[in-house]
Amino acid sequence: MDYSTNDNKSISKKKVVAVVGGGLVGALNACYFAKRGFQVEVFESREDIRQAKIVKGRSINLALSHRGRQALKQVGMEDTIVSKGIPMHSRMIHSLNGTQSPIPYGKKGQYILSVDRANLNKELLSAAETYPNTNLNFAHKLLDWSTETGAMTFVRAEGAKEEIQADLIVGCDGAFSAIRKQFLRQSRFNYSQTYIPHGYLELTMPPINGEFAMKPNYLHIWPRNTFMMIALPNLDKTFTCTLFMPFEEFEKVTTGDQVIKFFQKYFPDAIPLIGAEALKRDYFHLPAQAMVSVKCSPYHFGDKCVLMGDAAHAVVPFYGQGMNAGFEDCLVFNEIMDQLNEDFSAVLPEYTRVRVPDDHAIADLAMYNYVEMRAHVNSKWFLFRKYVDNFLHIIMPRTIIPLYTMVTFTRTRYHKAVKRWHWQDKVINQGLLFCAAVTVAGGSYLLVRYSPNMPNIPTEQLWSRLQALKSPF
Ligand code: FAD
Ligand code: EGU
């Protein structure tokens, strides 16, 4: 099948864009290209998740923040998604003794949303389908594509192969992207991938007497250095708890009783909420999942193909930004399409130029936070750090903006946020140095001034005596 346009024959016909991957970023991208009037063909390896009964995803719910919302807004999807999200105004820190301490994300209107991944994906696919110029092709798994001709090869559910052509290929096929494989064979293509030693496991906390088992409008966190658990609320009044720990530790826990022992030691308050029996069972339901960080550049191949979302930059989930960054990719690409009149040969390199530094910055930040959290973040440290951040922001609102605030509640370019963060660190350190200097100077003055064997000279005279001292310089 040849979907691509023949420029000689069709003057007015819009080009064909093949979006490979109908996950979160692929489905949103389909809306963006459809809105511009392109003929959009989405190819997704799975069956239509809107018909499937059970959907196995990578996580059940996600934190949606400003960047993701702005990207949804541009295609008119913000309200639909936000109305089905649960606002989280603060984190709730659970300490080992069961104490819960809330720390707000910011001012009143500053909150993040817990959204259901499957629902978000379904809504985006349906929104894409409302455009008459969009086709969703499920059960189409991309095997390979040709950098020479741009032809893509798909395998269908029955194993049959299909060749398809398009004017532009948009690779949104996730962290293990098949589209990206051809990039790897090119000279001067940079690529790195790192698996972290931690895995994650999801557990469901059911409602108690028909109500949420914990306060719903919070992102619940149990910071325990190497071990960490996080819980986000769902519309059905359950919480999805995500346990992060090294694979090595997962391997040590092999029986139901060991699970309970482990939870008694690190997350005792969660046992009655999840339920001891359910915990023993569900812990072994699925093996722990791996987390990978992928960085690469460039994101484009000529004027034929571009990578977005996890296919371009898989990040570890320790900033809650993977999807948000992927959605912002679509928004940034769209802005460049406006600037450069949809000329792919100019838009694609510009997209790489603009976006690579930002995606690399968020990948680095997420990895940095992972290292930081596991190294020394227990509940006391977490609380202390966030209090200091918020305090400095309150006393110097224009000078000190917490990093997570820039990342989560603004569209400050990720790499600029990192630069500003380093600058703020310098200001804070110099401030501390200044305070220390004032303390030492003031202290010495008081010591001299009021030392018992010092003649009682008025301060003005002390000053003139000091002035009289000849400087050696
Ligand atoms: P995916 O969602 O992986 O979608 C890729 C799609 O491509 C899939 O539908 C797949 O079936 C399809 N596909 C794959 N290969 C092929 C092929 N060969 N041919 C055709 N189709 C193919 N992000 C946040 O912003 N906030 C969070 O709170 C958050 N929490 C997270 C928690 C965890 C535990 C994890 C693991 C991630 C989290 N993320 C979060 C990150 C987020 O899940 C990803 O960034 C996001 O799903 C990326 O979307 P995507 O569309 O690029 O990739
Ligand atoms: C991890 C897994 C708290 C969902 C980073 C904060 C996350 C999420 C934080 C997951 C943390 C960590 C931030 C948000 C968010 C915090 C953030 C992490 C959502 C720095 C479903 N992180 N996450 N930082 O500030 O900016 O509250 O799986 F524990 S939302 Cl690791 Cl804002």
Side-chain angles (χ1 to χ4, degrees), residues 61 91 105 112 221 230 244 317-320 369 373 404 408:
N61 51 26
R91 314 113 169 137
Y105 275 114
I112 55 176
I221 309 172
I230 233 169
F244 296 93
F318 298 91
Y319 240 100
N369 205 41
M373 297 272 302
Y404 82 84
T408 308

Side-chain angles (χ1 to χ4, degrees), residues 98-292:
T99 315
Q100 298 188 23
S101 324
I103 317 169
Y105 275 114
K107 292 181 219 83
K108 213 161 187 242
Q110 286 183 319
Y111 57 86
I112 55 176
L113 288 151
S114 174
V115 298
D116 182 89
R117 179 194 291 269
N119 178 64
L120 178 57
N121 207 160
K122 289 174 188 175
E123 296 273 11
L124 289 172
L125 287 171
S126 294
E129 220 171 29
T130 59
Y131 294 91
N133 48 328
T134 299
N135 274 318
L136 305 180
N137 306 276
F138 294 102
H140 277 71
K141 186 186 168 99
L142 182 114
L143 255 195
D144 204 357
W145 65 286
S146 160
T147 52
E148 311 268 295
T149 65
M152 297 168 282
T153 311
F154 291 94
V155 256
R156 304 299 319 279
E158 326 79 58
K161 286 188 183 163
E162 208 173 304
E163 282 255 309
I164 290 162
Q165 282 270 342
D167 295 294
L168 176 69
I169 301 170
V170 186
C172 303
D173 51 347
F176 307 99
S177 171
I179 291 288
R180 201 176 55 213
K181 273 188 224 151
Q182 282 300 331
F183 283 64
L184 282 160
R185 306 185 44 185
Q186 305 302 316
S187 167
R188 300 181 60 207
F189 180 69
N190 301 296
Y191 182 82
S192 76
Q193 94 176 27
T194 309
Y195 279 93
I196 57 173
H198 276 60
Y200 72 92
L201 195 117
E202 289 181 312
L203 298 162
T204 302
M205 186 180 281
I208 294 176
N209 299 326
E211 266 313 310
F212 279 105
M214 305 182 295
K215 287 192 167 179
N217 296 104
Y218 295 85
L219 190 154
H220 291 262
I221 309 172
W222 292 254
R224 305 283 186 271
N225 297 18
T226 346
F227 310 113
M228 181 170 86
M229 194 161 72
I230 233 169
L232 273 70
N234 299 307
L235 277 183
D236 64 2
K237 305 203 169 170
T238 62
F239 277 93
T240 302
C241 306
T242 311
L243 170 66
F244 296 93
M245 69 176 184
F247 277 101
E248 233 172 59
E249 301 291 332
F250 273 115
E251 281 154 20
K252 286 184 194 159
V253 180
T254 57
T255 68
D257 290 340
Q258 285 171 333
V259 176
I260 300 297
K261 277 216 178 97
F262 172 79
F263 267 73
Q264 268 165 353
K265 190 161 178 199
Y266 296 103
F267 313 105
D269 61 332
I271 300 175
L273 301 178
I274 298 172
E277 287 312 307
L279 185 56
K280 284 188 198 173
R281 181 168 22 95
D282 297 350
Y283 187 94
F284 301 102
H285 195 64
L286 280 174
Q289 303 289 302
M291 285 168 280
V292 69

Side-chain angles (χ1 to χ4, degrees), residues 53 108 112 120 199 229 267 301 313 338 354 448:
K53 284 197 191 74
K108 213 161 187 242
I112 55 176
L120 178 57
M229 194 161 72
F267 313 105
F301 179 87
H313 49 80
D338 281 338
V354 169
V448 171

